[in-house]
Amino acid sequence: MFRWLHRIRRKRFLREGLSEESCYWLDFLPVLFDLPAADRKRLEGLTRVFIEEKHFEGCGGQLISDKIRVIIAAQACLLILNLHHDFYQRVRTILVYPSTFKHGSTWRRPDGIVVDLESANLGEAWPGGPVILAWDAAYQGGRNANDGQNTVFHEFAHKLDMLDGVTDGIPPLTQDHEKNGWRAAFLAAYEQYLQNLQAGRPQIFDAYAATNPAEFFATASECFFELAVKMEAHEPRLYALLEKFYRQDPARRSRAVLGQ
Ligand SMILES: [Zn+2]
């Protein structure tokens, strides 16, 4: 019964999309400007469902507004625009801090001594838990669509990776992807990236991607949506892998808008 009601609600939100007031905030996200009208309409519906179903919570004195919900939700939904998905089903809450937040954790040294660690972060994605974002970074990342840095894309790409319960840089794949060796090709791209980095060859994305395959997937996803044309030219194999996974071709979208 509840599932049935849930499905009806979802369908209604997808059909209705966003109000005119909420749509206003989409104009703050240049990455959406290249979307064809039908995709843009669909994105509005997804964004509405996301906002209705997720709980946004302000932390560190941050107040939550429609602007914050729309800017975060629309960027998160761009990633799933063409995927089979259930709206990041394991994400129930998005915690929003005004700016960089500190997260304390502990680390057990090999000699058994537990050390307190405290790091300053712009975003975090907890397996089975919330996404945590610094609002200034989430906003600036959206406002500047050409620098390959986008905290919302990064953290929600981690959430896609985590959907199968493992954070390893390999999101759940379709049978088609499995058959065509997506996993092996992606890990080979990661190895190639490490080699290029070591050899001092110029890279189009942040060295943080070298941390592990999970960070490589999240960082490459930022570039895929923000520096698509450049990535397609410099990293054609990696671009093709992400194009296959996301079922989107943002480089083609950009060229279509530029009339190239
Ligand atoms: Zn990360």
Side-chain angles (χ1 to χ4, degrees), residues 123-125 154-155 158 208 212 214-216 218-219 222:
E124 286 181 12
H154 185 101
E155 301 308 333
H158 276 316
Y208 184 66
N212 54 43
E215 294 305 338
F216 184 65
T219 309
E222 293 177 70

Side-chain angles (χ1 to χ4, degrees), residues 30-82:
V31 74
L32 307 182
F33 295 173
D34 298 345
L35 286 178
D39 284 358
R40 158 88 180 211
K41 190 84 200 132
R42 218 149 35 79
L43 183 84
E44 286 178 23
L46 297 177
T47 304
R48 171 78 186 279
V49 173
F50 189 100
I51 288 170
E52 298 284 351
E53 293 188 2
K54 312 293 181 197
H55 175 62
F56 286 76
E57 191 173 322
C59 303
Q62 179 66 53
L63 296 175
I64 297 297
S65 62
D66 192 41
K67 175 182 181 181
I68 289 179
R69 287 193 192 94
V70 173
I71 295 234
I72 292 173
Q75 294 182 81
C77 287
L78 180 63
L79 269 58
I80 55 173
L81 186 63
N82 290 342

Side-chain angles (χ1 to χ4, degrees), residues 179-227:
K179 244 190 352 222
N180 290 307
W182 196 97
R183 178 189 306 266
F186 184 78
L187 292 174
Y190 173 60
E191 288 302 325
Q192 184 63 56
Y193 172 74
L194 294 181
Q195 282 174 25
N196 289 342
L197 207 61
Q198 259 179 354
R201 294 186 197 110
Q203 302 297 314
I204 63 161
F205 49 84
D206 207 280
Y208 184 66
T211 310
N212 54 43
E215 294 305 338
F216 184 65
F217 175 70
T219 309
S221 295
E222 293 177 70
C223 273
F224 177 70
F225 286 101
E226 289 212 343
L227 296 172

Side-chain angles (χ1 to χ4, degrees), residues 28-186:
F28 286 66
L29 299 172
V31 74
L32 307 182
F33 295 173
D34 298 345
L35 286 178
D39 284 358
R40 158 88 180 211
K41 190 84 200 132
R42 218 149 35 79
L43 183 84
E44 286 178 23
L46 297 177
T47 304
R48 171 78 186 279
V49 173
F50 189 100
I51 288 170
E52 298 284 351
E53 293 188 2
K54 312 293 181 197
H55 175 62
F56 286 76
E57 191 173 322
C59 303
Q62 179 66 53
L63 296 175
I64 297 297
S65 62
D66 192 41
K67 175 182 181 181
I68 289 179
R69 287 193 192 94
V70 173
I71 295 234
I72 292 173
Q75 294 182 81
C77 287
L78 180 63
L79 269 58
I80 55 173
L81 186 63
N82 290 342
L83 296 181
H84 295 292
H85 65 87
D86 189 19
F87 291 91
Y88 302 100
Q89 64 268 36
R90 292 177 189 214
V91 181
R92 296 218 166 86
T93 306
I94 293 98
L95 301 176
V96 187
Y97 283 83
S99 189
T100 313
F101 55 92
K102 287 199 170 159
H103 171 226
S105 61
T106 55
W107 172 58
R108 185 179 288 277
R109 290 193 338 202
D111 58 8
I113 294 174
V114 175
V115 183
D116 280 323
L117 301 171
E118 200 176 64
S119 55
N121 289 325
L122 298 173
E124 286 181 12
W126 288 22
V131 168
I132 313 176
L133 294 167
W135 167 240
D136 56 0
Y139 182 64
Q140 283 311 322
R143 291 295 287 146
N144 185 344
N146 299 309
D147 62 355
Q149 304 211 340
N150 186 302
T151 312
V152 179
F153 292 163
H154 185 101
E155 301 308 333
F156 279 91
H158 276 316
K159 279 295 180 186
L160 291 175
D161 178 12
M162 290 170 188
L163 281 175
D164 55 5
V166 196
T167 315
D168 59 357
I170 312 290
L173 300 170
T174 62
Q175 276 189 351
D176 202 32
H177 288 136
E178 293 281 16
K179 244 190 352 222
N180 290 307
W182 196 97
R183 178 189 306 266
F186 184 78

